[in-house]
Amino acid sequence: MKTTGCFWAAGFAGIIAFVAPTVGTAQGTLAKLRAVPFTDVKITDAFWSPRQETNRIASIPVNLENLEKAGNLENFRLAAKGAREGYQGPVFMDSDAYKALEAASYSLATHPDPALDARLDEIIATLAAAQQPDGYLNTYFIVKEPTKRWTNLRDWHELYCAGHLFEAAVAHYQATGKRSFLNVAIKLADNLDSVFGSPPKRMGYPGHPETELALIKLWRVTGERRYFELARFFVENRGRKFFAEEHKTPLDRYDGSYWQDDVPIYQHRNIKGHAVRAAYLMSGTTDVAAETGDERLLTMLNRVWRNTTERNMYLTGGIGPSAHNEGFTVDYDLPNATAYQETCATVALAQWGHRLALLYGDAKYADVVERALYNGVLAGVSQDGTKFFYVNPLESAGRHHRQPWFGCACCPPNVARTIASLGGYAYAVSDDALWVNLYIQGSVKAKVAGIPVELKVTTDYPWDGKVVIEPVVKQPTSFELRLRLPAWCETPSLLVNGRRISPLQTEQGYLVVKDKWKRGDKIELNLPMPVQRMAANPNVKANHGLLAIQRGPLVYCLEQCDQSEPLAAMFVPAGAELKPEKQKSLLGGVVAIKGMAEIAEDQNWRRTLYQPANVSRRVPFQAIPYYAWDNRQAGAMKVWLPTAPLVPPVGGLEAEAKVTMSFANDNCQPQGVNDGIEPKSSGEQPAANCHWWPRKGTEEWVQYTWSKPVTVTGTKAYWFDDTGRGQCRIPVSWRIQFLDGQNWKPVAAKGNYSVAKDKWCEVEFEPVQTAALRLVVKLQDGWSTGVHEWKVMEAEEQ
């Protein structure tokens, strides 16, 4: 039984025994594989190839168009003109432009496009014109705050933006051979190197890691060792609590865990803080350790990787459960409906896993890369390539949807660059072997032991596990093929030129196949893809009594539009038969999973809180790949499914109401007030946040409106208060009004309207029949407020 830590396959008779995975130690042999560049990989399959084309003709143009609308590109023009006003957007605007340029560059390498090539040349020329004589380039500090360079490394993202410039410039050089962008990167890197380092240079490191891994990419392309040493300086000094010094925070009051600055880098024991920052940091640290062989770093990386993948990773390959810090809380905290699982964090985890797979030559790292790419990353973009997820829940009431763009638009270009560069994750070489990490139809060219070789790959993966590999060599050539055995596959088989190979020779999760290969040879790998039920680790409380569905690398979900009954009323017994079915016309062509669910007879969940109900009938259900959800009509979605009729309530009267507010800015989600997700505390950051910020000290309201009159007799509210990080506090007071004809009137309360944090504030009143109810709040002077949940009590029937 192969396992993945936070979850494992469950059989019809129950859960298959869990065995902890073996983890390499710092003292183990380092494989130090070399990734085959994306430019040497050709993808021609029916799964990724159309997605790369959609990325090319839709996502990349949409990214560039939105960067124009949002002001990112105009900021560069302003900087090039020497302007000192007119800057638009937050401090990190440059980084999103660089990621989009990186995505476009990758696409140019595999799909030449003269118009796109010319567009990039134009933008790069503007960047070069904006660059200062000393090499510095950041439009926020050139246009808006020219006297504040490097004064707030923790929060102002200068180094982070520089890192994304380096990555984009390297990609552009590799794709086109042009040095225009690379020269900009070299000048900026030289500027960084003149500022940061050992005395007499200054101390510091990025508040948002990224620069580290990017400097190493730049070093590998240019051969300039100083760039590696600067990356090493940033990594090895992290945890000196520099940000406490920078912000004059007493050490006894400083908690640097959000920035991974709480302990020296060697002492990290678990993944922590902001998820994207953490995974980018670990990626850069892995690059440094791969070069230096530092056993302290290697030991730490293995320790933190295990903690990440065994205790903090979602089934879909994402990380970071919490919205309030876009990151981690405690081990095994993996909620479904409130899962944050930022798209960028899944990309970052895939990048880190890829680096560890190269470092150790162990398939368990590539397994995580595959899980992330086929599920969490791919869900980040719509089927047509024009809308994007920032947050990726594993359960939805039907109100969470992809968006065309975001105020913080890091995710859309991150998905675009990942899909465009996918080939770079697929293959690697060592001195005597070619390693296959992802099974994608197409071809790859590489050098093994200095000899050019090519593989032709034919497969319908991920729908079918049969993979045919044909070496293309000019003359008989001896080398090893190392073929990853995915953790989900339990019964692989192998034919070489029609001859079954048994027993299989495996090493660290790879099939080892060595021969003197010649034209006409054929390797047939079969990876059976039975439908698997996945059970969560018992420590994941959110998934008690639930199972998920997986087939091959794909995690599945149920969407309401495929079901004949309310999703909330359905459960799928552990022994239910599940069958895969290829559907060419569904969502671009998928293998759906079909089976029979059962429906609880009593569906009046308003009054049955986790009470067993009688089963009245069986109904068919259909599951689709998680990546494809929210591409059709809106509706509920679930990954983890109940196995017995103990379904939570879908809500009271409030769940049936339309929500309106006196005021809501573009950062407010009114639907959060009746989404049925109860908070653990007032300070918890909900995925959908109903608030009145930035209004302060005013009287505001949130309103429920029903399609027909209802009779209510009480209500309760749970206040949102982000003391310590934001500007929302509990209100001064609140009251309830009901609509009587055209007039709003106060209810006759039977007690006081209490105001308190971390608890429900309840009030009962004389029954009223109304089609609308208002929660009216008075905000504190100087403060705003919000409401986690507002529930309404229906009058008992007489």
Side-chain angles (χ1 to χ4, degrees), residues 349-364:
L349 181 65
Q351 291 181 355
W352 182 22
H354 180 56
R355 284 165 167 79
L356 288 172
L358 295 175
L359 180 61
Y360 285 106
D362 194 319
K364 66 172 175 261

Side-chain angles (χ1 to χ4, degrees), residues 193-213:
D193 183 58
S194 72
V195 175
F196 298 99
S198 300
K201 301 176 187 179
R202 61 162 290 183
M203 174 53 62
Y205 35 81
H208 194 311
E210 212 283 334
T211 326
E212 302 89 339
L213 67 89

Side-chain angles (χ1 to χ4, degrees), residues 540-557:
V540 182
K541 295 180 181 179
N543 291 333
H544 285 182
L546 310 178
L547 292 178
I549 298 170
Q550 180 173 317
R551 182 177 181 270
L554 297 174
V555 174
Y556 281 72
C557 69

Side-chain angles (χ1 to χ4, degrees), residues 230-243:
L230 182 56
R232 181 179 184 177
F233 172 83
F234 287 149
V235 165
E236 293 181 350
N237 282 283
R238 197 170 199 91
R240 293 172 60 110
K241 303 187 178 181
F242 167 77
F243 299 140

Side-chain angles (χ1 to χ4, degrees), residues 439 458-459 461 463-469 483-486 488-496 500 504 511 523-530 551:
Y439 296 107
T458 305
T459 182
Y461 200 93
W463 311 122
D464 190 297
K466 182 179 179 181
V467 183
V468 177
I469 300 174
L483 311 178
R484 181 178 63 90
L485 291 178
W488 49 260
C489 182
E490 298 179 4
T491 56
S493 61
L494 182 70
L495 298 176
V496 176
R500 183 174 295 276
L504 299 175
L511 272 178
I523 302 100
E524 297 178 59
L525 174 65
N526 190 39
L527 304 170
M529 291 182 172
R551 182 177 181 270

Side-chain angles (χ1 to χ4, degrees), residues 154 157 207-209 258-260 274-282:
R154 190 189 73 183
H157 289 69
H208 194 311
Y258 176 84
W259 305 279
Q260 299 80 41
H274 187 275
V276 182
R277 299 174 196 233
Y280 279 165
L281 173 62
M282 294 300 152

Side-chain angles (χ1 to χ4, degrees), residues 89-110:
V91 70
F92 45 76
M93 290 286 276
D94 291 4
S95 66
D96 298 333
Y98 297 144
K99 278 181 282 189
L101 294 177
E102 183 183 355
S105 297
Y106 289 137
S107 183
L108 281 178
T110 54

Side-chain angles (χ1 to χ4, degrees), residues 119-133:
R119 181 82 191 279
L120 294 195
D121 284 345
E122 177 188 351
I123 295 172
I124 291 165
T126 304
L127 303 185
Q131 190 164 34
Q132 303 298 285

